[in-house]
Amino acid sequence: MASNSKISLVGLGNMGTALGHALLKDQKQLTIWNRTASRPSVTSLVDAGAVFEPDLSWTISNSPVTIIYVLDYPTICQILYPIVNSHALKSKTIINLTNGTPREAREMKEWMYTLGVTQYFDGGTIATPDMVATPASSIFISGENEQRFSSVTNIIEVWGRAQYVGQDPGAAALNDLALLAGMYGMFAGAITDMALLKKQKSGSREHSGVESQVTGMLNPWLQALLPYHAKMAESIDRGIFESLGNPIQMQSIGMQNILKACDEEGVDAGSLRYFAGLMEKVVAERSGEGGIAEVVTLLLK
């Protein structure tokens, strides 16, 4: 089991900096490294009690556990290649929270093992920087096994709710990206909604601004739909796509009206058009009496 009072942190973007401050508040001894030493984030962490080390090899050697949170996986390789012969990573525990794909996570684990790493965990942060160390923050972790995961939970839980999702190193990335896909899908629809609202003619009763309409109408509507998500997921698990009172043929007509309105009002609905095409394909190839969740059958390759 790794001793977790001394920790090194590599990468001081907004999220890495938030993680660092949370660790310091939890009385961890923190050594930090960043390619740009003059960043305000470095100064803020040093002022809070961290030790900045310009030598990456020494930074990693100084602690049994190193957290990596950089832009992407190629960046990890770029910063570590110069020190691969230093044995800095030998017998270390790595917690990599860099956003990437499941395949990248699996390949990173194999590379880390060749460098002498003893434990490699891959993770995903379901939070924004200001959510870190609040009840709203969750951290997906995968790799190794649950017993080994227990050796680092006292670190992970500083940042939020720790969720171990499996031995496959790519499991955390898959869960993280799946949630983000849902988030960006919501954003795509919501921003199309806002663009349409922006097109309202002056003099309309609701012509009081987009924000008030989003707060008063869109957000409550989206919240009311949350139980419908769970019902769609149940349909996908069962492979039986019930209409749930809203057959896809009817919903497809509604989607076509949205696209037509966007064209008429001068709004680009490209973010919705592909999904609308999938709905039409389900209707054309099947009865159209099932639910919208049946679209998933066209997405699975």
Side-chain angles (χ1 to χ4, degrees):
M1 179 180 294
S3 172
N4 295 336
S5 61
K6 293 181 66 177
I7 300 169
S8 292
L9 174 62
V10 174
L12 300 177
N14 292 339
M15 184 61 79
T17 302
L19 300 179
H21 279 291
L23 291 171
L24 291 170
K25 288 178 182 177
D26 197 57
Q27 307 301 310
K28 305 297 186 188
Q29 299 177 51
L30 187 64
T31 302
I32 59 176
W33 180 90
N34 195 67
R35 281 192 289 192
T36 306
S38 59
R39 287 193 66 161
S41 56
V42 174
T43 303
S44 70
L45 284 168
V46 170
D47 289 345
V51 174
F52 175 74
E53 173 53 55
D55 186 318
L56 178 58
S57 178
W58 194 94
T59 300
I60 296 172
S61 299
N62 191 48
S63 308
V65 179
T66 291
I67 315 299
I68 300 176
Y69 206 134
V70 293
L71 178 63
D72 53 22
Y73 280 70
T75 300
I76 298 174
C77 297
Q78 185 181 36
I79 63 176
L80 290 183
Y81 273 139
I83 66 166
V84 293
N85 295 322
S86 69
H87 304 294
L89 289 155
K90 185 175 176 59
S91 302
K92 301 299 183 182
T93 292
I94 299 295
I95 303 173
N96 177 27
L97 300 177
T98 302
N99 186 265
T101 69
R103 177 179 291 180
E104 286 179 315
R106 296 176 191 122
E107 292 175 349
M108 185 59 64
K109 172 220 167 183
E110 297 301 326
W111 188 51
M112 288 288 183
Y113 275 15
T114 68
L115 299 179
V117 167
T118 303
Q119 295 188 125
Y120 176 80
F121 298 98
D122 208 275
T125 51
I126 309 304
T128 57
D130 59 332
M131 291 180 186
V132 170
T134 74
S137 174
S138 292
I139 315 293
F140 289 137
I141 296 291
S142 60
E144 304 300 337
N145 54 50
E146 285 198 72
Q147 183 178 1
R148 288 190 166 197
F149 169 66
S150 68
S151 72
V152 296
T153 52
N154 68 327
I155 296 175
I156 309 300
E157 289 175 347
V158 170
W159 303 320
R161 184 161 64 99
Q163 299 187 65
Y164 182 75
V165 291
Q167 295 185 25
D168 171 15
L174 188 146
N175 279 269
D176 180 32
L177 294 177
L179 286 185
L180 291 175
M183 179 187 76
Y184 285 116
M186 178 187 71
F187 287 167
I191 291 173
T192 303
D193 163 276
M194 296 175 205
L196 273 171
L197 292 174
K198 192 71 175 173
K199 286 289 186 173
Q200 285 188 114
K201 305 301 182 185
S202 178
S204 298
R205 182 177 65 85
E206 296 87 356
H207 192 68
S208 55
V210 172
E211 181 182 0
S212 64
Q213 295 178 75
V214 168
T215 301
M217 295 188 298
L218 178 62
N219 287 350
W221 170 236
L222 292 177
Q223 188 170 6
L225 289 173
L226 291 179
Y228 194 72
H229 282 171
K231 290 179 180 178
M232 286 193 294
E234 182 183 359
S235 293
I236 291 169
D237 283 339
R238 294 169 57 208
I240 301 173
F241 302 101
E242 298 164 336
S243 71
L244 303 175
N246 298 284
I248 191 170
Q249 183 175 32
M250 176 271 289
Q251 295 201 61
S252 180
I253 293 171
M255 178 66 95
Q256 291 304 314
N257 285 335
I258 293 171
L259 299 181
K260 184 178 179 182
C262 286
D263 288 342
E264 291 174 352
E265 300 300 318
V267 170
D268 187 337
S271 61
L272 300 180
R273 203 172 299 279
Y274 178 72
F275 189 74
L278 294 176
M279 294 171 68
E280 286 189 303
K281 188 173 182 181
V282 169
V283 172
E285 295 179 356
R286 295 151 202 191
S287 69
E289 296 302 314
I292 196 170
E294 197 166 2
V295 166
V296 76
T297 61
L298 302 179
L299 299 180
L300 297 171
K301 298 179 180 179

